[in-house]
Amino acid sequence: MATLVPKQQRRHYLYLPTSWTEFKLRWNARQQKQILHVKLLKSRWKERLHVRWNKAIQNSRDGYALAKRSSKTWMQDKKSRFQTTRLSLRDQRDTYRAKVRIRMQARRIKMQESLRRIWNRSRDRLHRYVLFKTKAVTLTEYFEANWFDSAGRPLTSRDATGRFVNPWLSQSTSGVKTASAILRWRWERFLRNYQQYGWRMLIPSWSFDPKAYAATSSTKALTVTATLPPLQPAVPDDELKFTWIGHATCLVQQGDITVLTDPMFSTRASPYKNVVGVARDIPPAYDADDLPAVDVCLISHDHYDHLDKMSCIRLRDKVRGWVVPLGISEWLQDKCDIPAARIVELEWWESVKLVRNEQGAWLETERRSLATTQDNAHPSTSDPAESNQMWLTCCPVQHWASRTFFDRNYRLWCAFAVFFPRATFFFGGDTALPPSFPLFEIVSDYLGPLNLAALPIGAYEPDFMMRDAHMHPSEALLMHKALRVDHSVGIHWGTFALSEEPMDEPPRLLQSCIDRDPDRDSIDFVTIPNGDSLIIRCETPVLDSDQLLEGSSR
């Protein structure tokens, strides 16, 4: 029986200040307590009440449009009757028409003013007394007022050096570790490896065969099925299909729309694929050549295990559009020769509506940013995606970015929410759980109900090194609850030995946390083997206004 052995981590987390501004910023950093007021939804049923209220208002508007159409038809019928009726006095007929026209116009204006007055009054009361509450959050690290909006939601922020930061923990989550923490990490690893291998641990291994590991693995969850069914270019319209290819690479399909996340098909997460770097323990379930045509590829951040140069080059002609956070568009153009016209770059809370034309290309038709609109509801609630359309939203997470020692945090990191025509998918990318800031409650309040989420559950040991960048399975469960998602699947485990825990430990710990939870019967959070798929049934879509009017007229 094979033994799962943690592999050596060759990516260093020690970064020295690269400018005098950064040196002064870190030298003058002080622990300070500041109070931030965050506006949150009170409960989920009140959130659903808010959605139902919006639907009721829309139905009332549709009813008014129907009444307007009926009155117009009545006027036309009246006109035809007058034309067919023989009247002795022509002036009398014109006078009657004028009186009816004036009366109908007055009624229409009065109805519009009444509906507008009722809507504004009810919306203000609903937002003020029913839906939202204000929570005081204590932040212990430096932040600026413009890093948050009036509702306490974190915005895309930079410090004095021009680097992106996590506004709620701007200093400790920047990817910089103290020398004592790194020495402690290395010493504990040395002792563990010496007890297991002796001095043989100093002999480097230059060969790697991922298929050999998969063939001898004793863990079913870590093995790849020998004969996997081919990936279909489309699925039924009433299904949301999720396929885990490995690590954070996922294929999500709804109808004939296909979305790929963080493509990684190389054998090592490193700039030098054949020399050094974190090697795969199992191969990807599907190769890049096995994938169907991809409509949109999402990139969460620039770490080597999520943004792989060779994988992007191989997918260059297969992917119709790329959606990335700030800073990655330039990298894709320079390193992978991907045209800028096929790349959409977003910052936190930006939403883009993509529409597929007759040639199959996805075009950006609308873009909205919460930082400028200060909306409380996602734009998809007022403008839902129809066939050959989808909304994509860039969401904040707690992580950091770097590919070299000199570009740390000059590119943004994020999660993504995909609003298909009949389902909603949330891709967590790579994130940690903030200890006191209600980040994912804020994300859930804005996105609304979510059908499926892919959440990271691996790379969490040792805790003093990984807690600021990755989540423990128990924290992933808390994130699942905070997002108020119907179904979740665990990713970011069992592929790369990024940390010290055994490769098969994350799903076991996750299931143990679920079993101890008081609400375990209502929690749908699972893990699946590489190559397996998860199918979620979609709800019946809501009819648009034209269909509602047509149905009402019948």
Side-chain angles (χ1 to χ4, degrees):
M1 305 293 284
T3 303
L4 296 176
V5 179
K7 293 186 178 296
Q8 291 289 335
Q9 165 68 291
R10 296 179 177 86
R11 185 176 62 195
H12 298 273
Y13 286 81
L14 176 62
Y15 289 89
L16 298 176
T18 58
S19 65
W20 176 245
T21 302
E22 183 179 0
F23 178 80
K24 291 191 298 182
L25 186 66
R26 294 197 169 277
W27 181 263
N28 297 326
R30 296 289 185 271
Q31 291 290 331
Q32 54 184 346
K33 291 185 178 181
Q34 302 184 63
I35 304 298
L36 177 69
H37 296 280
V38 181
K39 187 167 67 172
L40 300 172
L41 284 173
K42 288 185 176 180
S43 61
R44 186 174 183 180
W45 71 268
K46 291 175 182 177
E47 178 185 3
R48 292 178 175 176
L49 177 64
H50 178 61
V51 175
R52 292 180 180 178
W53 177 262
N54 286 338
K55 290 183 179 179
I57 293 299
Q58 185 63 37
N59 292 337
S60 66
R61 293 175 178 174
D62 295 336
Y64 171 72
L66 180 63
K68 181 179 179 181
R69 182 181 298 180
S70 300
S71 63
K72 184 177 181 179
T73 304
W74 178 81
M75 288 295 295
Q76 292 177 352
D77 295 342
K78 204 70 175 176
K79 181 179 179 180
S80 61
R81 292 177 184 176
F82 273 115
Q83 288 178 352
T84 56
T85 304
R86 296 180 180 180
L87 298 177
S88 58
L89 298 176
R90 185 181 183 88
D91 296 338
Q92 181 179 356
R93 182 185 62 185
D94 296 337
T95 304
Y96 181 79
R97 286 182 178 178
K99 289 182 178 180
V100 171
R101 189 181 304 108
I102 294 173
R103 191 180 306 157
M104 291 299 299
Q105 184 177 3
R107 288 180 180 178
R108 183 169 61 254
I109 295 175
K110 185 177 181 180
M111 184 180 297
Q112 289 177 348
E113 293 177 351
S114 178
L115 287 175
R116 188 181 300 108
R117 186 167 53 253
I118 294 174
W119 161 246
N120 292 335
R121 188 188 307 119
S122 302
R123 181 189 57 189
D124 295 340
R125 290 181 179 178
L126 191 65
H127 287 180
R128 190 179 306 170
Y129 302 111
V130 180
L131 282 180
F132 296 97
K133 63 180 179 181
T134 301
K135 179 180 180 180
V137 179
T138 302
L139 300 183
T140 59
E141 296 183 6
Y142 171 76
F143 74 91
E144 299 180 6
N146 59 357
W147 290 1
F148 299 89
D149 66 0
S150 59
R153 292 174 290 207
L155 305 176
T156 304
S157 309
R158 301 175 188 258
D159 60 12
T161 65
R163 304 177 191 270
F164 292 106
V165 297
N166 297 301
W168 51 92
L169 287 176
S170 60
Q171 295 292 335
S172 60
T173 62
S174 61
V176 178
K177 298 297 180 182
T178 61
S180 60
I182 295 177
L183 290 175
R184 176 185 171 188
W185 179 29
R186 297 296 181 182
W187 176 249
E188 291 179 356
R189 170 177 288 180
F190 173 83
L191 292 179
R192 182 178 58 255
N193 291 339
Y194 179 76
Q195 292 174 0
Q196 187 168 6
Y197 298 106
W199 294 110
R200 292 180 301 166
M201 68 178 183
L202 299 178
I203 302 176
S205 175
W206 300 101
S207 61
F208 172 70
D209 186 4
K211 295 183 179 180
Y213 179 87
T216 59
S217 176
S218 60
T219 306
K220 181 179 179 181
L222 292 179
T223 58
V224 179
T225 307
T227 57
L228 291 172
L231 295 171
Q232 302 297 325
V235 299
D237 292 337
D238 60 345
E239 291 183 0
L240 177 64
K241 184 178 180 180
F242 172 90
T243 303
W244 187 38
I245 298 176
H247 200 53
T249 306
C250 312
L251 192 72
V252 187
Q253 297 172 285
Q254 200 270 304
D256 60 347
I257 301 178
T258 301
V259 174
L260 182 67
T261 66
D262 286 355
M264 175 60 185
F265 298 94
S266 299
T267 57
R268 291 183 184 272
S270 166
Y272 310 104
K273 304 302 180 185
N274 300 321
V275 183
V276 296
V278 185
R280 298 186 80 106
D281 284 301
I282 55 175
Y286 292 94
D287 192 64
D289 298 332
D290 301 330
L291 300 180
V294 177
D295 295 301
V296 174
C297 182
L298 306 178
I299 304 294
S300 62
H301 62 291
D302 67 355
H303 283 165
Y304 286 101
D305 57 326
H306 293 259
L307 178 59
D308 181 63
K309 177 180 177 180
M310 293 307 301
S311 299
C312 293
I313 292 176
R314 294 179 63 188
L315 293 170
R316 182 170 50 199
D317 298 330
K318 183 168 288 190
V319 175
R320 298 189 177 100
W322 303 74
V323 180
V324 300
L326 291 180
I328 297 184
S329 175
E330 182 180 357
W331 187 91
L332 289 175
Q333 297 176 50
D334 295 341
K335 304 297 183 180
C336 305
D337 197 22
I338 297 177
R342 290 162 53 189
I343 305 175
V344 176
E345 200 173 48
L346 303 175
E347 64 178 13
W348 288 352
W349 303 117
E350 265 194 325
S351 300
V352 59
K353 185 177 183 180
L354 301 181
V355 178
R356 181 165 52 190
N357 59 16
E358 297 179 355
Q359 290 74 28
W362 289 87
L363 305 177
E364 176 184 341
T365 60
E366 186 176 358
R367 181 180 294 215
R368 299 187 191 179
S369 176
L370 186 148
T372 57
T373 61
Q374 297 293 316
D375 293 334
N376 291 317
H378 192 268
S380 63
T381 57
S382 59
D383 185 16
E386 301 175 359
S387 179
N388 293 330
Q389 298 179 3
M390 60 178 165
W391 280 95
L392 290 155
T393 301
C394 178
C395 306
V397 293
Q398 178 174 307
H399 204 56
W400 59 287
S402 174
R403 292 184 74 84
T404 68
F405 288 99
F406 308 103
D407 64 351
R408 176 175 50 85
N409 294 343
Y410 282 120
R411 303 183 187 94
L412 189 61
W413 51 92
C414 72
F416 285 102
V418 184
F419 291 80
F420 292 102
R422 298 183 62 175
T424 306
F425 170 69
F426 181 84
F427 173 62
D430 211 351
T431 179
L433 185 69
S436 59
F437 187 73
L439 174 63
F440 298 112
E441 287 86 346
I442 296 174
V443 172
S444 174
D445 291 347
Y446 180 63
L447 299 180
L450 298 170
N451 300 117
L452 178 64
L455 307 181
I457 63 172
Y460 48 83
E461 291 290 348
D463 179 69
F464 64 87
M465 284 293 296
M466 299 296 178
R467 70 163 68 101
D468 296 329
H470 299 131
M471 286 193 303
H472 189 272
S474 60
E475 296 175 325
L477 181 58
L478 295 177
M479 181 179 176
H480 166 82
K481 293 182 177 181
L483 288 174
R484 303 187 184 107
V485 60
D486 297 331
H487 314 276
S488 291
V489 58
I491 61 171
H492 200 271
W493 67 276
T495 305
F496 292 99
L498 300 175
S499 55
E500 308 300 333
E501 78 273 1
M503 299 290 284
D504 63 339
E505 185 181 78
R508 290 189 284 106
L509 287 183
L510 176 64
Q511 188 59 46
S512 176
C513 295
I514 295 175
D515 294 339
R516 295 194 305 266
D517 194 280
D519 301 328
R520 56 184 174 272
D521 295 334
S522 60
I523 296 175
D524 189 353
F525 196 166
V526 299
T527 56
I528 59 176
N530 283 63
D532 274 18
S533 298
L534 190 66
I535 297 178
I536 305 299
R537 295 294 177 182
C538 304
E539 298 180 357
T540 303
V542 180
L543 298 177
D544 56 18
S545 57
D546 295 336
Q547 291 172 327
L548 286 172
L549 289 174
E550 183 179 356
S552 302
S553 61
R554 293 177 182 175

